[in-house]
Amino acid sequence: MSSQPSLPPTEQDLLDQERIRREKLARLRSSGVDPYPPRVERTHTISQVRELFQQQQLDEEERVALVGRMISRRVMGKLSFAHIDDGTGRLQIMVRRDVLGAEPYNQFFKKDLDLGDFIGVKGKMTLTRTGEVTCLVEEITLLAKALKPLPAKWHGLSDPELRQRQRYLDLLANPDVRERFRVRAKIVRALREYLDGEGFLEVETPILQPVYGGAAAEPFVTYHNYLHQKLYLRISFELYLKRLLVGGYDRVYEIGRDFRNEGISRKHNPEFTQLEFYEAYTDYHGVMRRTEEMLAYVVERVTGGLKITWQGHDIDFTPPWPRIPLRQAILEASGIDYDQFPDAESLRMAMREKGMDAPSEASRGKLIDKLLSHFVEPNLIQPTFLIDYPLDVSPLAKRKPGTKDIVERFEGFVAGMEICNAFSELNDPLDQLERFLAQGRALEAGDKEATPVDMDYINALSYGMPPAGGFGMGIDRFTMLLTDQDNIREVILFPHLRPEKRDQDGAS
RNA sequence: GGGCCGGUAGCUCAGUUGGCAGAGCAGCGGACUUUUAAUCCGCGGGUCGCAGGUUCGAUUCCUGCCCGGCUCACCA
């Protein structure tokens, strides 16, 4: 939901600066200038022309046509300098009255153009006395007039609300933000490169689902008006992707949006981008090796090395990463060995003795998860796998042989954050049905994050699913790591924000 | 939802122990042919988040509300 100024502004609502720009617009129109012409002339991008000029591959007399937003202007009498930005880079232009002509220079360039306007220039490339690559302008045209002043010159824009509600202003005022989302795109591209290269098939599965599942989360609910059908926005891709393993694909992946109806925090946005892959004929050990290899590939591809700095921590993605049994990690960090507390009640007592908040309705698995997030997770700065999780919070994972309530599952942690979750996939249809039924009972008992029974999925498993390992990773969180950000909103272009409420009295 | 901090010009911020509201940038007028945070002279610009209250007087103090940030709880 974007915030919209609800009505077009009336003349008196306009800022002085906006009023002045509209007057300039009217003046331009009456002098026959189209302030929003349909076409532009361009021979090079700014990055191209800069490169060609520096490599001396540009004829000295060659006339180039460049475009961009005017982001600064320094008028010094009969000579001016300005910078334009076309999205590929910034370039200085030099505008001289004796070259451009008196009228275009005095009136058009100095008076009618404003910072923020898009312009086209034609001229020759040159160096200034200080050695800056510059276009000496012979002709200048308006490509699009800006009616509002740009947020800032060198302070950038820092108001967090403006930055996120009006991300376009953030992007145009803060070059490092623009760069950050380029890094995000590189990350996604590198993940695809890796998986495609390993023979994974990229697929798309339904976002609107009649039965949701695959994760512990509350869904968003919607409705199909013509089918009279209740639908859920997916909370994971898992159950559909594994149906594809049944169908005969051996390696599939999907990158897309998940939706979870939960609180918003530094690490959580209600919709987030997830990568899931499923690989037949491997198990969670194989997936761990693949995770290390894949993430090392991506980090190398994006940053040029395997070491990054995040919020002052040096983090090294070089494989292999330590694998620590969850039980051991929790024991070492908290002094609680949950194996000695076989039921929720006794574990709860032990936790409360340590002064921890342990809600009465939480299952044993959820309590263990609480121990993990409280004692262990914040200290896992270097890439680490925690392995072997409690069964009751892992309804889709295969039981570890020789155990009763432990599954072959791991989670990957970096920088004190969980970034991925994976397991040997449960492919026993009868066991899966039992687990679903347990989930269904939990759901009815009020656990809003339990998932309903998916009989079609059981049916699919009943035709046989190969042994497989599966993996899920939050791309947003991974992007936080590689862009040195500690808030998920900084790596999502349009993060979810509370609706903007208009003042009851201030309205009108 | 609880706690803490904040909201002052288009942007970034200062300030008022309660007494005419400030700076830099941006804007407007002027000077200036190698600047790059250009410089110099002059000018305009404010519902001090909103609403009540206390007061001779509130941007400042009090109460409520709105919005935001951090944090706790919850979660990926």
Side-chain angles (χ1 to χ4, degrees):
Chain A
M1 306 311 100
S2 61
S3 58
Q4 299 127 348
S6 30
L7 293 168
T10 64
E11 196 56 27
Q12 47 178 301
D13 288 337
L14 292 176
L15 296 166
D16 281 356
Q17 297 196 34
E18 296 180 66
R19 194 152 39 226
I20 288 162
R21 285 177 184 231
R22 289 194 183 210
E23 285 162 13
K24 292 176 177 180
L25 183 77
R27 197 156 61 220
L28 285 162
R29 281 209 161 104
S30 69
S31 68
V33 173
D34 178 357
Y36 302 99
R39 265 164 288 284
V40 306
E41 234 190 295
R42 184 196 215 186
T43 58
H44 301 79
T45 67
I46 284 173
S47 71
Q48 282 167 346
V49 83
R50 182 185 295 284
E51 173 134 0
L52 287 174
F53 182 78
Q54 279 168 340
Q55 295 174 348
Q56 301 181 321
Q57 289 174 0
L58 211 58
D59 190 331
E60 238 174 60
E61 287 306 303
E62 186 170 342
R63 205 152 179 259
V64 296
L66 308 174
V67 300
R69 189 197 285 275
M70 185 165 73
I71 54 173
S72 67
R73 179 170 54 182
R74 298 173 290 284
V75 177
M76 286 171 302
K78 303 180 189 66
L79 166 73
S80 298
F81 293 94
H83 273 89
I84 60 173
D85 179 332
D86 73 349
T88 72
R90 292 183 169 189
L91 184 79
Q92 178 167 267
I93 60 174
M94 174 163 42
V95 188
R96 287 167 48 170
R97 196 178 73 177
D98 58 357
V99 175
L100 196 66
E103 168 70 14
Y105 183 79
N106 289 334
Q107 183 60 37
F108 179 67
F109 176 73
K110 280 171 64 176
K111 299 286 184 200
D112 291 341
L113 287 188
D114 284 299
L115 294 188
D117 292 351
F118 284 88
I119 58 174
V121 297
K122 287 187 211 164
K124 295 181 182 120
M125 298 304 294
T126 183
L127 279 183
T128 60
R129 275 179 205 166
T130 53
E132 178 162 352
V133 177
T134 298
C135 180
L136 174 55
V137 173
E138 294 163 2
E139 214 183 307
I140 186 164
T141 53
L142 179 60
L143 301 181
K145 183 109 193 109
L147 293 182
K148 286 171 176 285
L150 295 187
K153 187 169 176 183
W154 69 82
H155 288 115
L157 181 71
S158 70
D159 180 317
E161 182 172 8
L162 277 184
R163 286 191 48 231
Q164 284 155 19
R165 281 197 199 279
Q166 292 173 264
R167 184 67 91 184
Y168 43 92
L169 294 182
D170 188 28
L171 292 166
L172 75 84
N174 301 323
D176 52 316
V177 176
R178 242 193 278 177
E179 180 54 28
R180 191 182 306 153
F181 289 98
R182 290 205 164 98
V183 170
R184 181 174 172 134
K186 275 192 203 169
I187 290 170
V188 173
R189 198 182 314 130
L191 286 165
R192 286 201 165 98
E193 276 170 15
Y194 174 83
L195 290 164
D196 292 344
E198 293 288 317
F200 283 82
L201 179 72
E202 179 168 11
V203 298
E204 292 172 275
T205 62
I207 291 174
L208 293 175
Q209 303 182 345
V211 180
Y212 65 96
E218 245 185 289
F220 286 91
V221 183
T222 186
Y223 186 75
H224 193 296
N225 288 349
Y226 299 93
L227 296 179
H228 308 294
Q229 183 181 22
K230 191 175 178 185
L231 291 167
Y232 302 92
L233 273 64
R234 67 179 171 193
I235 57 172
S236 90
F237 324 152
E238 173 147 3
L239 300 180
Y240 281 94
L241 290 177
K242 286 194 286 198
R243 283 171 168 93
L244 298 178
L245 295 184
V246 172
Y249 295 115
D250 66 329
R251 294 181 176 186
V252 294
Y253 76 96
E254 177 164 4
I255 292 175
R257 213 68 64 80
D258 270 341
F259 306 85
R260 296 189 186 172
N261 211 334
E262 294 162 350
I264 298 175
S265 82
R266 210 164 55 80
K267 299 180 190 175
H268 299 87
N269 195 59
E271 56 181 292
F272 63 102
T273 301
Q274 178 92 336
L275 160 68
E276 288 189 24
F277 71 71
Y278 292 82
E279 178 173 358
Y281 315 117
T282 188
D283 64 0
Y284 77 142
H285 294 296
V287 175
M288 270 183 263
R289 288 190 295 274
R290 187 171 290 298
T291 302
E292 291 166 336
E293 187 178 292
M294 176 175 75
L295 296 188
Y297 175 86
V298 173
V299 172
E300 214 276 326
R301 203 87 168 98
V302 172
T303 70
L306 288 175
K307 294 181 184 165
I308 63 161
T309 301
W310 186 80
Q311 307 288 303
H313 298 286
D314 292 319
I315 295 175
D316 186 351
F317 282 90
T318 308
W321 308 347
R323 287 129 167 91
I324 305 173
L326 179 64
R327 175 189 167 202
Q328 178 192 331
I330 288 176
L331 175 59
E332 282 168 8
S334 71
I336 295 178
D337 180 359
Y338 60 71
D339 269 9
Q340 302 196 352
F341 305 99
D343 54 80
E345 194 47 41
S346 59
L347 183 57
R348 186 174 302 123
M349 289 304 133
M351 287 168 67
R352 286 185 178 163
E353 270 172 36
K354 298 260 174 204
M356 273 194 75
D357 180 38
S360 327
E361 68 281 4
S363 71
R364 178 165 179 273
K366 292 214 166 175
L367 291 173
I368 291 173
D369 193 58
K370 229 171 154 46
L371 286 167
L372 161 64
S373 16
H374 189 263
F375 287 106
V376 184
E377 181 168 357
N379 302 317
L380 297 177
I381 303 299
Q382 297 303 318
T384 306
F385 294 125
L386 294 184
I387 65 171
D388 298 342
Y389 276 63
L391 183 140
D392 78 296
V393 287
S394 315
L396 300 159
K398 195 175 266 185
R399 199 181 313 262
K400 193 176 162 84
T403 71
K404 199 167 132 285
D405 54 3
I406 295 178
V407 294
E408 293 196 347
R409 171 179 172 190
F410 73 85
E411 292 187 313
F413 295 85
V414 184
M417 268 191 302
E418 182 199 329
I419 59 160
C420 62
N421 177 23
F423 33 86
S424 302
E425 301 298 335
L426 179 59
N427 60 346
D428 173 343
L430 299 180
D431 189 356
Q432 185 65 76
L433 180 57
E434 284 306 312
R435 308 264 198 109
F436 270 155
L437 291 173
Q439 283 283 307
R441 284 191 296 273
L443 187 62
E444 281 182 15
D447 180 355
K448 290 181 176 168
E449 288 164 3
T451 51
V453 178
D454 186 338
M455 279 316 292
D456 181 71
Y457 178 68
I458 296 293
N459 194 43
L461 286 191
S462 304
Y463 286 95
M465 184 179 93
F471 170 93
M473 178 173 83
I475 302 238
D476 314 277
R477 287 188 181 178
F478 189 65
T479 303
M480 288 165 67
L481 297 177
L482 297 199
T483 56
D484 195 12
Q485 295 302 311
D486 72 347
N487 194 316
I488 198 166
R489 268 183 293 203
E490 294 292 347
V491 300
I492 295 175
L493 278 169
F494 299 100
H496 187 79
L497 301 171
R498 283 192 214 198
E500 205 168 20
K501 288 181 193 156
R502 300 201 60 184
D503 285 337
Q504 300 304 312
D505 312 272
S508 101

